[in-house]
Amino acid sequence: MKVLLFGSDFFTKIISEIYQEAGHETRIMGRASLIQKVQAVKDVLWCDEVYLVSGRDLNSVKLLRLAMALKKRIIIHWTGTDVVHATQQYQKDHVVPNAQYPHIDLAVASHLQQELLEIGIHAAYVPIASQDLNFRVLPAPETHMVLCYLPEGRETFYGIEILKALAKKHPEVPFCILANDGGKDAQKLPNLHYMGTVGRKKMEELFGKCSVLLRYPEHDGLPVMMLEAQGFGRQVIHRYPFPYVITPEEDSIESIDAALRKVLSEPPRVNQEGADYVRREFTKERILQRYREAGVI
């Protein structure tokens, strides 16, 4: 089978490797220039299947309309924010997205699968996880430290108010913030440490020092950082249920703080169950099996 992939460079590369492992040919659709658009048309003519990473209205893109006219198989893999947009559109017009077009829906996380079901989309759970993930369990640190992801320019979405509220409640605990240098924080708390963007070696060093990853954005898919944290043997507090992750009962400061206090109430420990889970469930072989179970490969 010949498969044309379109979407996030990070995800399409991973999916391409999975398909190639199964013996299929793949191409990743280029974008922007006229030459690339001409090549994209050739690629649509070449392929048997068009694979979209991130859900969208199939009628909104000319190349997708061409693919459907040519009876190409269409796969839509929902990854996160796209589900929010689809839900908002459904609430507005009460029409199930893409219901009139033959295609297969997949979701990278179980909670996205449920959100999609609520708007009439039946998606199979197939995670997308890099095979470069390091699942080497690190020893537990001597003291607690909270690791957080707060990309610059998206502080509100990624929960800066929650983060600051928790830091105030636990002034003795350092909160280490990634992807942000703190330049826009006019009222820095003494226990907030902005690290900016760090390389792979520094990232592993920080995982070695932290006892828990706090990830509480407004919405999320299947974050690589969460899988990495578990792979390194760290506790994780996440907005959505996931095996061996701590999920607050409510989206309130009190409930999130209760989850954090649960971690801080005992000495740092290795989350061995979480590490074993990601090591078992996020291999190339296991993900390929999920594709087969979904009837895609």
Side-chain angles (χ1 to χ4, degrees), residues 7 28 35 93 97 105 124 169 173 208 210 224 226 265:
I28 296 175
I35 293 177
D93 59 25
D105 289 295
K169 288 177 179 291
V173 177
C210 83
V224 172
M226 182 178 74
S265 66

Side-chain angles (χ1 to χ4, degrees), residues 16-37:
S16 178
E17 292 173 357
I18 294 290
Y19 267 81
Q20 290 174 11
E21 182 80 10
H24 303 300
E25 293 183 62
T26 64
R27 290 182 186 175
I28 296 175
M29 186 183 294
R31 286 174 280 182
S33 72
L34 177 60
I35 293 177
Q36 288 174 319
K37 289 179 180 178

